[in-house]
Amino acid sequence: MNVVTMGVHVLDVLVRPVEAIPEGQGATLVEDIRMTAAGTAGGTALTLAKLGASVRSAGAVGTDPTGDMLVQLLRRAGVGTEFLVRRTGTATSASVLPIRPNGDRPSLHLLGANLTYGLDDVPWDAVAAATHLHLGGPELIGVDVAARILSYAKEHGTVTSVDLLAPGALGGFEQIEAALPHIDHLLPNEDQVLGFSGETDLAAGVRRLRGAGAGVIAVTRGGDGALVVGADGSETVPAFAVDVVDTTGCGDAFSAGYLRGVALGRAPAEAAVLGCAAAALVAQGLGSDHGDFDLAAADAFAASGGRRP
């Protein structure tokens, strides 16, 4: 699997546990503070590399120390960074995530350089040579730009996948419609399906997205696992029962596991099992890069791990 993960790259600063922000200039002690690479492209790249894919990431980051750290963390994880463009005078995207004791993760987010990525930055030859292109956060670069990139990939025989970034409340059908015919695998969460489709029912939302041209849609549903819908019908895939420390990066880990499964020739529902396993492994620690596992370990966990009802 030779994959280009393109789009959103973020440096996450995670603090745990945080029950409340101290008032005024007060202070409180915490158990852990970590920095990790993240984002719908960067976070997915981390887990894909763990699962044995050859990964190069493409996106825009600043020339600031935040960008230096983000690039270093990706390289340390075995992700190629030669297609990351560095923007002078623009901050690298970053988030501060105060993780609650139950694993919830409110976010303080800086969009930064992600908004500046455009057609002149795309490594077209690498996209054409890749087996897979994963585009994370197409709504940030604009649907016309995203459609152009995805259609080029399809023309050259590259399998395409897309994960959305914006919450459903900020989504609209016009933000993704033009790109849908060029997407082999769409990987939104349930809230995004409803928000971007404009529907109030998940099944209706999936039908609208597929009717506009999207291929297989694998919808993540948190503790309820995933719903996989394709030409052959739909199938639910339960999540795994684990003690959740932090849900940061779980959606990206699902995307990575699912896509690795697809690349191995597994049916979409079986690929989603690997996606759910990867998400469960990441959820047991702090940050998108948590877990020292590979493909064999993730498959073994999936085979032996308990499923949620």
Side-chain angles (χ1 to χ4, degrees):
M1 185 181 188
N2 170 16
V3 57
V4 174
T5 53
M6 182 181 293
V8 176
H9 291 75
V10 181
L11 183 73
D12 278 353
V13 181
L14 304 106
V15 186
R16 177 185 182 273
V18 178
E19 297 189 51
I21 303 296
E23 294 192 14
Q25 297 188 65
T28 189
L29 297 178
V30 297
E31 295 176 8
D32 202 359
I33 298 177
R34 295 192 66 230
M35 288 186 290
T36 71
T40 45
T44 304
L46 294 175
T47 303
L48 276 168
K50 286 182 181 180
L51 297 176
S54 173
V55 189
R56 290 177 291 177
S57 232
V61 300
T63 55
D64 50 5
T66 303
D68 294 342
M69 177 62 74
L70 178 55
V71 170
Q72 180 183 348
L73 289 169
L74 288 168
R75 288 175 178 168
R76 183 183 298 174
V79 176
T81 61
E82 62 266 35
F83 300 138
L84 290 175
V85 295
R86 306 295 299 268
R87 298 283 195 240
T88 303
T90 302
T92 299
S93 178
S95 292
V96 177
L97 303 169
I99 308 302
R100 296 191 174 109
N102 68 352
D104 286 349
R105 51 175 181 86
S107 175
L108 307 172
H109 184 62
L110 172 68
L111 287 171
N114 285 319
L115 293 169
T116 71
Y117 194 75
L119 294 175
D120 291 341
D121 302 311
V122 176
W124 298 104
D125 289 345
V127 170
T131 61
H132 293 71
L133 170 69
H134 179 68
L135 181 57
E139 64 272 32
L140 286 192
I141 62 175
V143 67
D144 293 334
V145 172
R148 175 83 176 273
I149 296 168
L150 292 164
S151 64
Y152 178 87
K154 291 272 287 181
E155 289 167 6
H156 288 81
T158 303
V159 176
T160 61
S161 57
V162 165
D163 186 13
L164 303 172
L165 179 69
L170 299 179
F173 196 62
E174 71 284 352
Q175 294 175 272
I176 58 170
E177 182 179 12
L180 291 173
H182 311 295
I183 300 173
D184 293 317
H185 301 273
L186 181 61
L187 307 168
N189 61 41
E190 184 172 5
D191 174 68
Q192 289 168 334
V193 170
L194 299 177
F196 279 85
S197 70
E199 301 288 349
T200 57
D201 174 75
L202 180 60
V206 170
R207 281 196 301 270
R208 187 175 189 196
L209 297 173
R210 279 189 42 80
V216 178
I217 302 180
V219 185
T220 54
R221 307 182 68 196
D224 291 328
L227 173 68
V228 182
V229 184
D232 296 330
S234 65
E235 189 167 347
T236 57
V237 178
F240 291 92
V242 296
D243 292 328
V244 175
V245 171
D246 170 27
T247 59
T248 302
C250 289
D252 302 325
F254 174 88
S255 294
Y258 174 87
L259 295 171
R260 188 72 180 106
V262 168
L264 292 167
R266 300 179 188 181
E270 288 302 311
V273 172
L274 180 56
C276 287
L281 290 165
V282 168
Q284 295 177 70
L286 190 62
S288 298
D289 63 351
H290 175 74
D292 183 16
F293 59 89
D294 57 13
L295 176 62
D299 277 338
F301 172 84
S304 62
R307 301 292 190 93
R308 288 174 57 92

